[in-house]
Amino acid sequence: MGKTTMADVAKKAGVSKSTVSQFLNERYEYMSPDTRIRIEAAIDELNYQPNYLARSLKQKRTSTVGIIVANIMHQFSTEVSRSVEDYFNKHNMHAIVCNADNDPEKEKKYIEMLRAKQVDGLIIFPTAQNADIYKNMIKEEYPVVFMDRKVPDLQAPTVVSQNIEATYSAIQHFIDNGHERIAIATEPLTISPRIERHEGYKKALHANGIKINPEFQISTSIDKIKKELDRLFQLDAPPTAILAGNDIVFIEVLEFAKEKKLEVGESFALVVFDNIPFAHFVHPPVTTIAQSAYMMGEKAADLLLKQINKEQIDRHEVSFPCELIIRDSSKRLKEK
Amino acid sequence: MGKTTMADVAKKAGVSKSTVSQFLNERYEYMSPDTRIRIEAAIDELNYQPNYLARSLKQKRTSTVGIIVANIMHQFSTEVSRSVEDYFNKHNMHAIVCNADNDPEKEKKYIEMLRAKQVDGLIIFPTAQNADIYKNMIKEEYPVVFMDRKVPDLQAPTVVSQNIEATYSAIQHFIDNGHERIAIATEPLTISPRIERHEGYKKALHANGIKINPEFQISTSIDKIKKELDRLFQLDAPPTAILAGNDIVFIEVLEFAKEKKLEVGESFALVVFDNIPFAHFVHPPVTTIAQSAYMMGEKAADLLLKQINKEQIDRHEVSFPCELIIRDSSKRLKEK
DNA sequence: TTGTAAGCGTTATCAT
DNA sequence: ATGATAACGCTTACAA
């Protein structure tokens, strides 16, 4: 029965609850070997399982943290979550993953629920729409780490990718391969990574003396991406290269190409900002900007655990470099 | 502060804790509108957040369930987990996902930890190596549902795919396209789905009067798959078609083909048993046997919730059909 | 309609 | 070395 309690064990072993508790917490320094053995026996005779809930209530620590991802459909989110889980499991803690689905209301609900469950801390991919709640957590010094996205005007531990630099180098790669008409496609510019990717894009073009064509900058919701691409390819001078702003946009680009019978890597060069599991098996193998998902997860977990343990940490952003992995989709532009 | 408690609210509102509790549980039937308002005011003045831990301790219900997947690297596990989470979120419950990593020891540890945390029930992709523990949970009538794999000699609610039938139809598809030398590659035959897939394979060959060549049946650990494939292709009469037993085996097949400069769909036909996210973008688009991951997750969640609510359920397997999605990798065999 | 008090299964403090 | 006893923050009879 799951209902055997510490009191039962105590009775069976002929000792008090406190002694059993001592035993369970491995403080057998001042315990006679005799009682120790009796308790041990009682425990597995009764098949006793301690109730962590009760312990947590008393100790004010659940050994559980929450992860709230903005959109679980991104490979990146999955990899980061996995990494965070691994980290906490190594430290005998649990992680609960929740998917806010890019919905600020859901995000709010999850923050409240997880805190009501007394999780020891939170790692959040913020929708960035709940500024008051974030601020409040920081003010209370509740352990929290933000991931992937910077929240404006908030001084909080945050782990992000070097989006500007990474995008810059991808665009430079296009230019080095002879491209000049380069497009970028992201979801709407509501969060920092997207903004920064556009920024890196413009910076690179500028540095190379290529004038920026606003028509080549797409930033719209997923369901409108294909329409925008279509518009682009109707132009007299369509782009010869495209940077897909994340893995979901990438799917749209692929589908667009398929529908319009365009050949990725032939009709246009392509780089994707994100880790793609089958990148070297898609046709053609696709050039990607890989984020250091695993390391970022570890870093965030580490920052969180330090806060939980009341250790001092830097309340600033820490940013990780990305890696441009060149495959066939972004080969040299064909001479016309 | 997160430390405001019900008592603080009660004091501030000038009522007793019980009344506040009534309020929180929305039992305002017999509550004067006056006190109701005072409590409301006190709550948001103090920014009070209830402590679910304490409540759970009292109610013996945490509104949390655990999911223990055998190997998180499978797309299928991820999809099922997502579906289970969705289901429980709809019911205002949480799900904690743990990865046993195909290790019975880890599985055991997670079962114990989650139960110690008093989760209301468990969905397990069993390693099938902890028979005593499974049996014990069933005996105790602890709510549990097994997923993907049948545990021998255990009468327990279990949600699985129709592996035999699905494999049969894939092999039949090969045969219909003129193949006779058909191989199957799975991980070791330690769990029911793999055994059943081999069974469906043999059944289909048998039904078509093709004699079974044991050399064509690979069942070995991932790191040895490529070696076995190599052996196969050294034969005088190598296979012309391969069924990859899951998504991880599929990767090995792809890498093998790449290394040996074999063309999938040309040098040999290929079907993969599993959902592949980029199936129609790999080259060539690959024929898959898709499992009903989302529905299976829902079903399992439903069976679990019913048990939690002490409703009666069938303690048997429920099996879901798979869908053979034919793409280019398994086209008709080229005439020689 | 609201309050009192016991109890959920632990841990922590202080005696002994 | 071990035991009483009071918390932890909530729910729930039952009383008022």
Side-chain angles (χ1 to χ4, degrees):
Chain A
M1 304 295 272
K3 41 171 42 186
T4 38
T5 163
M6 226 175 62
D8 302 326
V9 176
K11 193 168 355 148
K12 181 127 207 160
V15 297
S16 78
K17 285 196 298 174
S18 347
T19 311
V20 177
S21 178
Q22 297 297 116
F23 173 88
L24 288 173
N25 293 293
E26 310 189 8
R27 304 200 55 73
Y28 355 72
E29 351 216 306
Y30 306 108
M31 196 180 311
S32 76
D34 183 62
T35 51
R36 180 172 156 177
I37 288 170
R38 286 213 315 283
I39 294 177
E40 236 157 10
I43 284 182
D44 58 45
E45 199 164 334
L46 297 172
N47 188 22
Y48 165 70
Q49 303 287 149
N51 180 334
Y52 284 10
L53 221 55
R55 173 208 285 223
S56 296
L57 178 59
K58 183 69 191 179
Q59 291 187 159
K60 296 164 170 296
R61 201 184 206 269
T62 53
S63 300
T64 303
V65 301
I67 307 174
I68 301 177
V69 306
N71 182 354
I72 194 83
M73 298 318 282
H74 290 293
Q75 180 69 13
F76 177 70
S77 319
T78 312
E79 285 176 25
V80 171
S81 308
R82 198 111 82 221
S83 155
V84 173
E85 280 173 352
D86 283 358
Y87 182 97
F88 281 110
N89 286 337
K90 267 180 217 137
H91 292 261
N92 282 307
M93 296 180 68
H94 277 316
I96 302 183
V97 182
C98 300
N99 176 21
D101 215 7
N102 281 321
D103 176 348
E105 278 310 309
K106 270 200 187 178
E107 177 183 41
K108 183 177 171 203
K109 186 186 128 202
Y110 278 131
I111 293 177
E112 283 170 359
M113 269 197 131
L114 289 168
R115 291 201 59 183
K117 285 202 172 170
Q118 312 298 113
V119 298
D120 297 335
L122 242 26
I123 291 178
I124 305 179
F125 293 65
T127 62
Q129 312 272 350
N130 281 314
D132 44 340
I133 300 184
Y134 310 143
K135 234 162 239 163
N136 197 40
M137 291 194 289
I138 301 294
K139 205 183 67 198
E140 289 179 33
E141 301 192 28
Y142 179 75
V144 63
V145 174
F146 292 98
M147 170 60 80
D148 183 50
R149 302 144 173 223
K150 302 177 191 167
V151 178
D153 306 321
L154 190 66
Q155 196 183 321
T158 305
V159 177
V160 293
S161 279
Q162 290 168 8
N163 290 295
I164 298 178
E165 296 80 347
T167 311
Y168 190 110
S169 74
I171 301 298
Q172 187 64 54
H173 165 67
F174 277 145
I175 296 171
D176 292 346
N177 277 353
H179 293 275
E180 297 210 332
R181 298 201 305 278
I182 303 169
I184 180 172
T186 69
E187 297 186 64
L189 303 183
T190 48
I191 50 170
S192 66
R194 299 176 195 156
I195 295 170
E196 291 171 357
R197 290 169 197 180
H198 275 263
E199 199 176 322
Y201 164 85
K202 286 186 282 190
K203 248 187 168 158
L205 291 184
H206 189 77
N208 285 273
I210 297 173
K211 84 160 188 300
I212 288 159
N213 181 350
E215 291 200 295
F216 284 172
Q217 291 185 59
I218 298 178
S219 54
T220 186
S221 56
I222 288 298
D223 55 312
K224 300 206 188 67
I225 294 278
K226 282 197 261 184
K227 191 166 28 163
E228 286 296 295
L229 289 171
D230 198 30
R231 175 181 61 69
L232 237 51
F233 280 87
Q234 306 282 347
L235 294 174
D236 288 340
T240 63
I242 300 179
L243 177 74
N246 67 30
D247 50 358
I248 299 184
V249 171
F250 168 55
I251 302 277
E252 297 300 307
V253 174
L254 283 184
E255 288 189 342
F256 171 77
K258 196 156 219 175
E259 284 169 20
K260 302 293 177 186
K261 309 262 188 249
L262 296 172
E263 283 278 326
V264 174
E266 298 294 330
S267 315
F268 60 90
L270 180 64
V271 171
V272 181
F273 202 122
D274 250 335
N275 312 13
I276 304 288
F278 289 90
H280 57 299
F281 292 129
V282 300
H283 178 69
V286 62
T287 298
T288 58
I289 300 172
Q291 302 186 72
S292 311
Y294 204 89
M295 284 167 63
M296 291 169 75
E298 270 179 341
K299 182 66 185 178
D302 188 62
L303 285 172
L304 189 63
L305 189 57
K306 288 216 170 80
Q307 289 181 73
I308 292 172
N309 294 335
K310 307 279 181 208
E311 292 172 39
Q312 221 49 48
I313 60 156
D314 233 13
R315 306 203 99 46
H316 287 89
E317 296 154 21
V318 23
S319 71
F320 282 75
C322 302
E323 189 191 357
L324 181 67
I325 303 176
I326 298 173
R327 302 199 184 83
D328 297 349
S329 71
S330 63
K331 282 178 315 192
R332 172 160 280 284
L333 176 61
K334 285 258 176 31
E335 304 305 328
K336 300 237 175 76
Chain B
M1 304 293 273
K3 41 172 41 186
T4 38
T5 163
M6 227 175 62
D8 302 326
V9 176
K11 200 182 328 165
K12 182 128 208 158
V15 297
S16 79
K17 284 196 300 173
S18 4
T19 312
V20 178
S21 176
Q22 298 296 123
F23 174 87
L24 288 173
N25 293 293
E26 310 189 10
R27 302 200 53 74
Y28 357 72
E29 350 215 308
Y30 306 107
M31 197 179 309
S32 75
D34 183 62
T35 51
R36 182 174 156 174
I37 289 168
R38 286 214 315 283
I39 294 176
E40 236 156 10
I43 284 182
D44 60 44
E45 198 164 333
L46 297 172
N47 188 22
Y48 165 71
Q49 302 286 149
N51 181 332
Y52 283 11
L53 222 55
R55 171 208 283 222
S56 296
L57 180 58
K58 181 69 190 177
Q59 291 188 157
K60 296 164 169 299
R61 205 186 204 266
T62 53
S63 300
T64 302
V65 300
I67 307 174
I68 302 178
V69 305
N71 182 352
I72 195 84
M73 298 317 282
H74 290 293
Q75 180 68 14
F76 177 70
S77 318
T78 313
E79 285 176 24
V80 171
S81 309
R82 198 109 85 223
S83 154
V84 173
E85 279 171 354
D86 283 358
Y87 182 96
F88 282 108
N89 287 337
K90 267 181 217 137
H91 292 261
N92 282 307
M93 296 178 68
H94 277 317
I96 302 182
V97 182
C98 301
N99 177 20
D101 216 6
N102 280 322
D103 175 350
E105 278 311 309
K106 271 201 186 174
E107 179 183 40
K108 182 177 173 201
K109 187 186 128 204
Y110 278 131
I111 293 177
E112 283 169 359
M113 271 197 131
L114 289 168
R115 293 202 58 182
K117 286 202 170 169
Q118 312 301 112
V119 298
D120 297 335
L122 241 28
I123 290 177
I124 306 179
F125 292 64
T127 61
Q129 312 272 351
N130 281 314
D132 43 340
I133 300 184
Y134 310 144
K135 235 162 237 162
N136 197 39
M137 291 193 288
I138 301 293
K139 204 182 70 197
E140 289 179 32
E141 301 193 23
Y142 180 75
V144 61
V145 174
F146 292 98
M147 170 60 81
D148 184 50
R149 302 144 172 223
K150 303 177 191 168
V151 178
D153 306 320
L154 191 66
Q155 195 183 321
T158 305
V159 177
V160 293
S161 279
Q162 291 168 7
N163 289 295
I164 299 180
E165 297 80 349
T167 311
Y168 189 111
S169 74
I171 300 300
Q172 186 66 53
H173 165 67
F174 277 147
I175 295 171
D176 293 346
N177 277 354
H179 293 276
E180 298 210 331
R181 297 202 306 278
I182 303 169
I184 180 171
T186 68
E187 297 185 66
L189 303 184
T190 49
I191 50 171
S192 66
R194 299 178 196 155
I195 295 170
E196 292 171 355
R197 289 171 197 180
H198 275 264
E199 200 176 322
Y201 164 85
K202 285 185 282 188
K203 247 186 168 161
L205 291 184
H206 189 75
N208 286 272
I210 297 174
K211 82 160 190 298
I212 289 159
N213 182 349
E215 290 200 295
F216 284 174
Q217 291 186 60
I218 298 178
S219 55
T220 188
S221 56
I222 287 299
D223 56 310
K224 301 206 188 69
I225 294 278
K226 282 197 259 185
K227 191 166 26 158
E228 287 295 295
L229 290 171
D230 199 29
R231 176 180 62 68
L232 238 50
F233 280 86
Q234 307 283 346
L235 295 174
D236 289 340
T240 62
I242 300 178
L243 177 74
N246 68 30
D247 50 358
I248 299 184
V249 171
F250 169 56
I251 302 278
E252 297 300 308
V253 174
L254 283 183
E255 289 189 340
F256 171 78
K258 198 157 218 173
E259 284 169 18
K260 301 294 177 182
K261 310 265 189 246
L262 296 172
E263 282 279 326
V264 174
E266 300 292 332
S267 314
F268 60 89
L270 180 63
V271 171
V272 181
F273 201 121
D274 252 333
N275 313 12
I276 305 289
F278 288 89
H280 57 300
F281 292 128
V282 302
H283 179 70
V286 62
T287 297
T288 58
I289 300 172
Q291 302 186 73
S292 312
Y294 204 89
M295 285 168 62
M296 291 169 75
E298 271 180 339
K299 181 66 186 177
D302 188 62
L303 286 172
L304 189 63
L305 189 56
K306 288 216 169 81
Q307 289 181 71
I308 292 172
N309 293 334
K310 305 283 182 206
E311 292 173 38
Q312 220 49 51
I313 61 157
D314 232 13
R315 307 201 100 48
H316 288 89
E317 298 154 20
V318 24
S319 72
F320 282 74
C322 303
E323 190 190 359
L324 181 68
I325 303 176
I326 298 174
R327 301 198 184 82
D328 296 350
S329 71
S330 63
K331 282 179 314 194
R332 172 160 281 281
L333 176 62
K334 284 256 178 28
E335 303 306 325
K336 301 237 176 70

